[in-house]
Amino acid sequence: PAAAAVAAAGGGGAYVALGGGGRPGEAAATGLPPHTVEVTRQTLKDTETVDGELGYGPARIAACGLKGTLTDLPESGAEIERGRELYEVDGDPVVLMYGSKPAYRPLRTGTEGADVKRFEANLSALGYGGFTVDDAYTSATAEAVREWQDDIGVAETGIVEPGRVVFADGAVRVDGLQASVGEPVGPGAKVLAYTGTVKAVTVELETSEQRMARKGAAVEVALPENEPVRAEIDEVTTVIDQGGQGEEPTTKVEVTVWLDSDEAAKAAAGYALASVDVTFTAGQKEDVLTVPVTALVALSEGGFGVEVVKDGASAFVPVETGLFAGGRVEISGPGITAGTVVGTAE
């Protein structure tokens, strides 16, 4: 069972001594091992390459915050920036602005909070002034809002009504429409799906592979006909697939890698959608002693060792194992140094 555990972890089989295993310091029962290798010092990387899909990352839904009739919608694939119309209700625009949280209440003189600062920061970025970007909605803010309302063609009330603005993390790309022009809508009605405008790779992992999915961890993305480019994991989300009728729900780990560096964006520019290879590094150890997994011996009293060969004889030496990667394993133990000759099954 112990040898089987090593095989599962390292991708190979342990070298099991004849006669039920060896004891530390005991000579091998059958003489010298069939093959030998030297202990080497190197950097081990626990990597795994999986399939990914190049696109624009996960889609999100823009829900309406106003009651009325949809009078205009963008085309699928359209890219919309801050201050531009996302869609139209009763002839008036619903405007995109940047922020991580949605609007949820009217903003008027006397209102205070983080949502005020978020809206004022957008108003300032669009070129409006005369107010201080802070968490207080003052009469100066209201005056700037009236100017903005005049520019977008809505009533100049100085009050930002709920639903007039949709917040997203940045510029958006319309991924698909959830409604049609002419449909009545109300708060909560789905209008359209959107993504970011930067290319992204999405990977679906089994929960057993979650160790590889750490936000901020480096990955390599191999695009068709291109050298691999470096990127990092931006989002890790647990996704539950309810399955079909009679099927048990399954849990997956969805990983998003944004290709937002200059190198990655340039490599991905020629593709709309594509299958790619993503290489994850789950662990790395630098300057460690290693042997092939097949050099491990299951010791009779438990644990693992290696069969050290020296001066025409051999003896079992217990070792501590560390990282398994690429068919090799990190080891340490008494007398184990770089260049030590050990037995192996192949």
Side-chain angles (χ1 to χ4, degrees), residues 166-259:
V166 171
F167 285 96
D169 290 338
V172 303
R173 172 186 171 275
V174 178
D175 192 58
L177 301 179
Q178 308 288 309
S180 301
V181 171
E183 284 188 21
V185 290
K190 296 178 180 179
V191 177
L192 55 83
Y194 66 89
T195 66
T197 58
V198 175
K199 296 285 179 63
V201 171
T202 304
V203 180
E204 197 172 76
L205 299 174
E206 301 292 337
T207 53
S208 60
E209 300 171 315
Q210 192 163 5
R211 64 190 172 84
M212 299 190 298
R214 292 178 293 104
K215 185 174 180 179
V219 296
E220 279 195 346
V221 178
L223 295 154
E225 302 178 10
N226 275 290
E227 291 295 320
V229 294
R230 291 183 61 81
E232 66 177 38
I233 297 174
D234 293 280
E235 299 177 30
V236 180
T237 308
T238 300
V239 178
I240 299 177
D241 183 352
Q242 298 298 332
Q245 187 173 2
E247 295 180 343
E248 291 291 329
T250 57
T251 301
K252 301 285 187 178
V253 178
E254 187 176 82
V255 176
T256 303
V257 178
W258 294 104
L259 302 182

Side-chain angles (χ1 to χ4, degrees), residues 115-313:
D115 53 341
V116 172
K117 186 174 184 178
R118 184 162 52 250
F119 178 80
E120 287 183 339
N122 278 273
L123 208 57
S124 176
L126 290 170
Y128 298 92
F131 60 93
T132 301
V133 177
D134 56 18
D135 61 1
Y137 195 107
T138 65
S139 58
T141 306
E143 183 58 35
V145 167
R146 279 189 282 270
E147 183 182 349
W148 168 69
Q149 288 172 328
D150 181 48
D151 288 342
I152 66 173
V154 300
E156 299 167 42
T157 63
I159 299 171
V160 184
E161 61 184 316
R164 182 59 59 202
V165 171
V166 171
F167 285 96
D169 290 338
V172 303
R173 172 186 171 275
V174 178
D175 192 58
L177 301 179
Q178 308 288 309
S180 301
V181 171
E183 284 188 21
V185 290
K190 296 178 180 179
V191 177
L192 55 83
Y194 66 89
T195 66
T197 58
V198 175
K199 296 285 179 63
V201 171
T202 304
V203 180
E204 197 172 76
L205 299 174
E206 301 292 337
T207 53
S208 60
E209 300 171 315
Q210 192 163 5
R211 64 190 172 84
M212 299 190 298
R214 292 178 293 104
K215 185 174 180 179
V219 296
E220 279 195 346
V221 178
L223 295 154
E225 302 178 10
N226 275 290
E227 291 295 320
V229 294
R230 291 183 61 81
E232 66 177 38
I233 297 174
D234 293 280
E235 299 177 30
V236 180
T237 308
T238 300
V239 178
I240 299 177
D241 183 352
Q242 298 298 332
Q245 187 173 2
E247 295 180 343
E248 291 291 329
T250 57
T251 301
K252 301 285 187 178
V253 178
E254 187 176 82
V255 176
T256 303
V257 178
W258 294 104
L259 302 182
D260 49 7
S261 70
D262 290 344
E263 178 192 16
K266 182 179 179 181
Y271 304 95
L273 300 171
S275 295
V276 299
D277 290 331
V278 182
T279 300
F280 294 83
T281 300
Q284 179 172 318
K285 288 288 191 72
E286 297 183 1
D287 196 31
V288 293
L289 298 173
T290 76
V291 293
V293 173
T294 52
L296 288 180
V297 177
L299 299 176
S300 58
E301 74 283 1
F304 295 97
V306 290
E307 187 177 357
V308 174
V309 179
K310 186 177 181 181
D311 298 331

Side-chain angles (χ1 to χ4, degrees), residues 41-90:
R41 186 176 291 280
Q42 65 183 95
T43 295
L44 280 186
K45 282 188 176 183
D46 177 14
T47 62
E48 186 167 345
T49 300
V50 298
D51 294 333
E53 292 296 325
L54 175 67
Y56 290 88
R60 293 174 170 81
I61 298 296
C64 190
L66 300 169
K67 185 177 181 179
T69 301
L70 283 173
T71 49
D72 195 20
L73 287 168
E75 294 183 357
S76 291
E79 294 189 358
I80 300 169
E81 298 180 338
R82 175 174 21 215
R84 301 296 183 180
E85 178 184 306
L86 188 59
Y87 57 90
E88 189 181 87
V89 176
D90 290 347

